[in-house]
Amino acid sequence: MKNLKIKNLSNKDIKGVNKLYNKYISETAFTFDIKEKSYEEKKEWANSFTKDSPYQCLVAYDGNNLIGFVSSRPFREKEAYFSSVETSVYIDKDYIGNGYGKILLDELFKRIDRFGVLRAYAFITKPNEMSEKLHNSMGFNHIGTLNKVGKKFEKYWDVGVFELHLPIKWLLL
């Protein structure tokens, strides 16, 4: 992890982030997007983040290799939900299981702490043992399951709802 670099998403990162995300679209049910995203679509998505808001996207690199990314988005579009965010984490398969998801989430929570976020939510397609383990290790609690809420690859999938109470002192162990 000595070559680890974490930074806010920039235009230079969009191509790699899109390539990684498209792998998740085509190979897993961990995102309910079905059609791969174009560069322009991902660029529009990237423009929704700013380091001066609770809605941020961070990327991690090992040298020049993209490890993955983490993001916080509005939990829902209505104004009363301003103190809650939905988080997502995507790690390249070559880096899964090495603690990078935890490092990225930890850094994200440090960066959004000053914006008054009280709750973070993660929606995890079941089964996804690695993601559930990651979120549990960060203090997320499973608070419910949406049963057969999405259909992908000719199968209906359940989604676990995980909640984290913030703020917490985010220190890596």
Side-chain angles (χ1 to χ4, degrees):
M1 290 191 201
K2 63 182 178 179
N3 292 324
L4 178 65
K5 180 182 178 185
I6 298 175
K7 64 184 191 88
N8 285 87
L9 178 71
S10 72
N11 284 337
K12 291 185 269 182
D13 305 306
I14 295 171
K15 184 177 178 182
V17 164
N18 196 42
K19 181 178 178 184
L20 175 60
Y21 188 68
N22 280 338
K23 281 186 180 181
Y24 273 87
I25 291 172
S26 65
E27 297 175 10
T28 77
F30 301 156
T31 174
F32 280 179
D33 280 319
I34 293 172
K35 188 177 113 193
E36 290 186 10
K37 300 296 179 188
S38 70
Y39 174 81
E40 288 303 319
E41 287 171 313
K42 206 59 167 177
K43 188 173 182 180
E44 184 177 326
W45 167 87
N47 288 335
S48 68
F49 300 106
T50 173
K51 65 181 180 179
D52 296 322
S53 84
Y55 313 124
Q56 297 190 29
C57 184
L58 306 179
V59 292
Y61 286 91
D62 174 15
N64 291 324
N65 297 320
L66 179 67
I67 294 170
F69 66 96
V70 63
S71 66
S72 56
R73 304 278 307 215
F75 171 66
R76 301 281 303 257
E77 294 302 322
K78 295 184 171 76
E79 296 90 352
Y81 291 113
F82 73 93
S83 63
S84 298
V85 295
E86 180 179 343
T87 60
S88 296
V89 181
Y90 293 92
I91 304 295
D92 183 278
K93 66 181 177 180
D94 293 336
Y95 293 94
I96 289 175
N98 294 304
Y100 292 109
K102 188 170 184 172
I103 291 168
L104 275 166
L105 278 170
D106 179 73
E107 185 63 27
L108 176 70
F109 293 139
K110 286 178 186 174
R111 292 186 187 200
I112 67 171
D113 181 60
R114 64 187 171 112
F115 297 105
V117 176
L118 299 178
R119 299 284 184 271
Y121 293 91
F123 294 84
I124 302 172
T125 306
K126 296 172 138 294
N128 186 341
E129 185 178 327
M130 292 299 288
S131 188
E132 288 187 37
K133 182 178 174 183
L134 164 64
H135 286 83
N136 287 330
S137 77
M138 296 295 298
F140 281 80
N141 293 305
H142 180 254
I143 60 169
T145 299
L146 304 172
N147 296 301
K148 295 184 180 10
V149 70
K151 185 177 181 183
K152 187 171 180 181
F153 304 133
E154 301 304 316
K155 178 181 175 185
Y156 285 96
W157 298 88
D158 295 345
V159 172
V161 181
F162 291 76
E163 178 184 63
L164 178 66
H165 296 243
L166 297 168
I168 294 175
K169 291 285 185 188
W170 292 104
L171 299 173
L172 290 177
L173 304 175

